[in-house]
Amino acid sequence: MPPAPIRWCAAALALAVALAATGCANQDDPDEDGLPRQLVWTTYGTGTSTYADVAAVADTITAHEGSPVRVITSDTAIGRLAPLREGPAHFSRTGDEYIYSFEGDEDFTTELWGPQDVRVVWAPVAPHGLLVADDSGIETLEDLRGADFPYITANPSVNDKLEAFLANAGLTWDDVNTVEVGYGEQPDALKNGLIDVLFQQVHGSSLYELESAFDVRWLELDDDPEAVRNVLEVSPSVELGEFEGAPGQEEGESDTGMFYAIPVVTYADTDPALVRHTIETMVDNFEHYEDSTATLPYWSADEVLTAPRQVPFHDGLVDFLEERGDWTPEADQLNQDLVERGERLRELWPQVAEQDDPRAAWPETKADVPRPDPHAAQESEGDGAGDSPGDGTGENDESDDAGENR
């Protein structure tokens, strides 16, 4: 990982570009409703499925609401969140950097950042899995012992998920031969025999290209309770569920993979009216973009998460869910507990930031801050929206730093 000043310089450059591209969007005169005349989102680079989702939503809002939405791209977590923190961007669709920034972990354990007061605005989920060549001889996760296994460059979020896959089979990093590779480089690496398995969002366009070169299939996660507990100990924000319609699957065939949120986020002080308006705009225009990509069905109001996991929901989202009847007392309590955790983390951070090695001191410093159980509210959701992942078709279903087809 490059030193903090280098990473910050890269983020500052991205911010400067953002400012130039948006014309300082937050300083635009508001419309008659007091809302910005132009919305600005940040997200992953072009060519990723995350960008394709955001672009389709942005185009729809622009075409049907007359509210221009500009999308700024970045291949790094800092690059995606810096414009959000500094002002030119209103929203960001992120990977797990929304969790890392809230906690002050990974790239955010620096004097320039620390824990951030971020909030979830909309939480669509997506299925992810491990793909192998059909003739690899790897039939189960246990067969990965001794395999050439990807370790994704500068991507702690994905590496966390890879570790969780290994944990599902009782394996660790020590049981595999790690091969450092960029996220977007995995399909070529698998094709060329550099790795034996890859991890991606199951509907990534590069995987369909890979399927055209040779037969592929997915490795099943074990849904035995102990195996699931092993997954959640490593990556508490994920769930197991079935997906279909992915490369390597016959019509009607499904596999068990990992579902987790790739949310739209903002800061806590973003106007709740703006958040609520944006949510309602996405919901009202859903029919115009739902078929634009394989993962946009997960943006339905009936499919997104309706309770927080590791980062609080924004007040504007809470208001929307309350009106729909999707906000439970358990979800509300979890949200309050997460808000309190964030406040405590931000209180503790200044004393750590002044130390010689904040990265070493921070885990111990925050160890005594209560960490709410993200699955407590989920278990109370009953049969409402966002219960659990489904079959990958948008029927009751539940995220980093370079070139993902995510």
Side-chain angles (χ1 to χ4, degrees):
M1 180 179 296
I6 295 177
R7 296 198 303 275
W8 178 251
C9 286
L13 178 60
L15 180 57
V17 172
L19 284 165
T22 62
C24 299
N26 280 357
Q27 299 178 25
D28 285 351
D29 292 334
D31 63 16
E32 60 272 14
D33 297 319
L35 302 172
R37 293 186 182 276
Q38 175 177 262
L39 288 177
V40 181
W41 291 32
T42 70
T43 194
Y44 290 88
T46 57
T48 67
S49 61
T50 297
Y51 173 83
D53 287 350
V54 170
V57 173
D59 288 347
T60 298
I61 293 175
T62 300
H64 293 273
E65 295 292 323
S67 302
V69 179
R70 183 182 294 275
V71 180
I72 302 170
T73 62
S74 176
D75 286 337
T76 70
I78 295 294
R80 288 186 290 274
L81 287 188
L84 193 64
R85 184 175 80 164
E86 302 303 326
H90 304 91
F91 302 106
S92 178
R93 193 183 186 206
T94 74
D96 277 0
E97 66 262 26
Y98 80 107
I99 299 173
Y100 297 144
S101 64
F102 181 75
E103 291 285 330
D105 290 338
E106 300 294 342
D107 283 359
F108 301 92
T109 314
T110 70
E111 183 179 358
L112 293 168
W113 282 88
Q116 302 293 299
D117 197 11
V118 294
R119 294 288 189 274
V120 172
V121 171
W122 200 238
V125 297
H128 295 72
L130 291 182
L131 188 74
V132 297
D134 191 50
D135 61 0
S136 65
I138 300 174
E139 303 296 330
T140 67
L141 291 175
E142 288 84 354
D143 295 334
L144 290 172
R145 189 183 301 273
D148 291 330
F149 194 77
Y151 185 86
I152 308 303
T153 306
N155 205 322
S157 170
V158 171
N159 290 328
D160 173 79
K161 307 305 185 302
L162 285 166
E163 183 179 355
F165 267 100
L166 293 173
N168 183 256
L171 303 177
T172 70
W173 290 109
D174 292 334
D175 295 311
V176 295
N177 176 36
T178 57
V179 179
E180 188 163 345
V181 62
Y183 188 99
E185 298 169 351
Q186 290 181 97
D188 283 341
L190 184 65
K191 183 188 301 184
N192 295 324
L194 300 178
I195 55 177
D196 294 321
V197 60
L198 66 74
F199 170 89
Q200 281 199 3
Q201 193 271 99
V202 302
H203 298 295
S205 59
S206 62
L207 303 187
Y208 291 97
E209 297 174 7
L210 193 65
E211 180 188 32
S212 68
F214 54 86
D215 292 336
V216 296
R217 55 184 166 77
W218 299 93
L219 297 180
E220 286 269 352
L221 279 164
D222 186 352
D223 60 2
D224 175 81
E226 182 177 355
V228 173
R229 281 195 297 272
N230 291 340
V231 170
L232 297 180
E233 285 180 4
V234 174
S235 190
S237 65
V238 309
E239 296 181 7
L240 274 61
E242 293 188 354
F243 62 88
E244 63 181 41
Q249 292 180 319
E250 301 291 340
E251 185 175 355
E253 181 183 1
S254 65
D255 291 287
T256 302
M258 187 179 290
F259 287 69
Y260 57 94
I262 308 176
V264 178
V265 302
T266 192
Y267 273 76
D269 60 0
T270 298
D271 185 354
L274 172 59
V275 173
R276 178 67 183 265
H277 173 77
T278 302
I279 293 170
E280 290 175 343
T281 299
M282 291 190 295
V283 172
D284 292 345
N285 289 283
F286 179 69
E287 64 178 322
H288 298 299
Y289 64 79
E290 63 176 315
D291 296 325
S292 298
T293 73
T295 48
L296 278 172
Y298 297 108
W299 286 60
S300 165
D302 295 325
E303 302 294 341
V304 296
L305 296 185
T306 57
R309 293 294 185 264
Q310 292 174 274
V311 174
F313 280 7
H314 194 279
D315 288 345
L317 175 55
V318 172
D319 289 345
F320 175 82
L321 294 173
E322 283 181 334
E323 187 171 303
R324 278 177 57 90
D326 290 334
W327 189 244
T328 67
E330 292 81 4
D332 189 66
Q333 184 61 57
L334 175 58
N335 211 56
Q336 293 180 40
D337 291 344
L338 287 168
V339 169
E340 291 173 5
R341 175 175 173 82
E343 291 172 348
R344 183 58 179 149
L345 292 178
R346 293 189 295 279
E347 289 172 359
L348 292 171
W349 174 251
Q351 67 189 41
V352 175
E354 296 174 355
Q355 299 185 27
D356 292 336
D357 190 356
R359 190 176 293 274
W362 183 231
E364 182 178 353
T365 301
K366 68 174 186 174
D368 293 332
V369 180
R371 183 185 295 273
D373 178 6
H375 294 276
Q378 177 190 357
E379 293 169 357
S380 75
E381 287 178 355
D383 296 326
D387 297 347
S388 63
D391 60 6
T393 63
E395 300 292 335
N396 296 322
D397 295 343
E398 168 170 294
S399 138
D400 287 338
D401 291 340
E404 297 98 317
N405 285 303
R406 160 187 279 297

